[in-house]
Amino acid sequence: MCIRDRVNIERMFKLMGVESKVADQKDAKELKLSDGKIEFRNVGFSYEENRQILTDLSFTLEPGEKLALVGGSGAGKSTIAKLLFRFYDTDSGGIYIDGQNIKEVTQLSLRQSIGVVPQDTVLFNSTILENVRYGRPGASDEDVKEAIRLAHLQEFINQLPNGYDTKVGERGLKLSGGEKQRVAIARTILKQPGILIFDEATSSLDSASERAVLTAIDDVSQGKSSVVIAHRLSTIVKADRILVLERGQVVEQGNHENLLKQNGRYAHLWNLQQHTEHKGNV
Ligand code: ATP
């Protein structure tokens, strides 16, 4: 692994305000990603004593499947994503990727295999082209431009005063939430990770922008195992597996149809959101 990659990952963590709490085992091996099968086996986790966040959580995500995490604020959605990225170690049980316990592989190889599209993307004071190139620092201009096209950012860039060379970030052009998310998607396309984590934006994007983001997410996650932290149920009806979380517990799991039939918590949330969206449109 080259030093440049290591520095980039550390910088990214700093910017995300996250300090890794785990250390590599002495004999840690590189993660060998083949199909991208993800298994949570009886996972238990708490940030603090006496406050269990996840209890005996088990699920399997077959290669290429899409997992959606739903539930109210504080239910434990981000915690599951953080454990998969190994910001923290589980207290009990284990997380396996293609049969390898993520505690036994190097953090670097694990994190290079996983692409994260966060809710709020950090932009550097540089051009839009350089901001996207950050996904893979050695990438050619051609590859960066292709990633921009695939992330549905081209039209936006065409309207900028200096196109690809337009300065963005704190001292440059401010991007909207949806545009920033597409920069993150373009970075992820460049990185080409085998596993993807999306943190869907909570802030309401306008509908054209939301459509562009969702189409880009759909395109990039095609055939890849992906985890989506979902805030709006309408965006995850096609997910292969949905975990419904409440106060750190999985209260239901299944796909959209199964969960509606169960007529439980998910069906209740679904009806509630349909009602709200309908009212919002009146
Ligand atoms: P949201 O939709 O608001 O982002 P979430 O479902 O992603 O919520 P988590 O962030 O996973 O929820 O949090 C689950 C629980 O863990 C919450 O009760 C939260 O207060 C607690 N928690 C999260 N991070 C920490 C931390 N670093 N230290 C202590 N407790 C934490």
Side-chain angles (χ1 to χ4, degrees):
M1 205 46 56
C2 77
I3 293 200
R4 194 163 158 193
D5 286 338
R6 195 183 299 275
V7 170
N8 270 324
I9 287 172
E10 279 165 9
R11 185 161 174 220
M12 192 61 149
F13 278 178
K14 250 198 199 139
L15 289 166
M16 286 164 79
V18 182
E19 238 178 87
S20 190
K21 305 266 191 305
V22 300
D24 279 356
Q25 287 184 359
K26 269 208 191 93
D27 54 352
K29 298 180 201 70
E30 298 256 308
L31 173 70
K32 289 204 180 63
L33 193 73
S34 47
D35 306 324
K37 178 173 176 168
I38 302 171
E39 289 170 272
F40 273 57
R41 296 188 196 157
N42 310 101
V43 168
F45 177 73
S46 59
Y47 291 100
E48 297 152 338
E49 265 177 61
N50 304 326
R51 189 156 173 252
Q52 195 70 16
I53 301 293
L54 299 174
T55 311
D56 202 25
L57 170 65
S58 295
F59 66 86
T60 301
L61 197 62
E62 296 297 336
E65 283 191 343
K66 181 176 183 176
L67 170 77
L69 304 171
V70 305
S73 181
K77 304 180 293 293
S78 312
T79 302
I80 292 176
K82 282 185 207 157
L83 290 179
L84 179 60
F85 212 60
R86 206 177 160 219
F87 281 148
Y88 301 92
D89 275 331
T90 58
D91 298 329
S92 53
I95 301 169
Y96 295 79
I97 295 179
D98 289 331
Q100 301 147 84
N101 189 330
I102 64 169
K103 276 185 195 170
E104 293 166 8
V105 303
T106 64
Q107 293 171 69
L108 200 59
S109 65
L110 173 71
R111 288 172 193 156
Q112 283 192 324
S113 305
I114 302 177
V116 183
V117 178
Q119 254 190 57
D120 200 14
T121 303
V122 179
L123 294 177
F124 310 112
N125 284 307
S126 185
T127 64
I128 183 108
L129 195 76
E130 291 313 316
N131 264 281
V132 172
R133 201 194 311 269
Y134 185 73
R136 179 157 50 91
S140 67
D141 281 3
E142 238 167 63
D143 287 349
V144 178
K145 287 178 185 171
E146 175 66 3
I148 284 172
R149 198 182 59 73
L150 292 170
H152 298 262
L153 260 180
Q154 190 63 61
E155 216 177 291
F156 164 70
I157 288 177
N158 290 345
Q159 297 162 5
L160 296 179
N162 294 316
Y164 293 112
D165 298 323
T166 306
K167 289 252 178 4
V168 295
E170 283 292 296
R171 275 174 265 133
L173 187 84
K174 304 274 181 296
L175 267 56
S176 75
E179 288 150 6
K180 280 206 265 184
Q181 271 219 323
R182 278 177 282 155
V183 169
I185 292 169
R187 283 177 180 163
T188 306
I189 291 170
L190 267 187
K191 185 177 169 185
Q192 295 184 325
I195 294 170
L196 296 162
I197 300 176
F198 296 102
D199 196 351
E200 226 184 55
T202 31
S203 53
S204 54
L205 304 177
D206 64 71
S207 54
S209 182
E210 177 176 301
R211 247 196 320 277
V213 170
L214 291 177
T215 314
I217 289 180
D218 262 359
D219 288 354
V220 63
S221 57
Q222 219 39 260
K224 291 191 172 159
S225 311
S226 56
V227 177
V228 182
I229 299 177
H231 296 283
R232 256 176 293 172
L233 304 185
S234 52
T235 62
I236 49 125
V237 269
K238 284 186 279 173
D240 299 289
R241 180 175 301 275
I242 299 168
L243 297 190
V244 186
L245 295 144
E246 228 169 63
R247 289 183 293 277
Q249 307 267 343
V250 176
V251 289
E252 283 171 1
Q253 56 173 305
N255 65 20
H256 176 74
E257 258 79 55
N258 293 341
L259 288 172
L260 278 189
K261 271 189 207 136
Q262 284 180 33
N263 208 15
R265 195 70 199 128
Y266 180 85
H268 178 71
L269 288 174
W270 175 257
N271 290 332
L272 217 63
Q273 280 203 5
Q274 294 293 95
H275 185 64
T276 319
E277 274 171 27
H278 179 67
K279 260 173 96 176
N281 289 336
V282 175

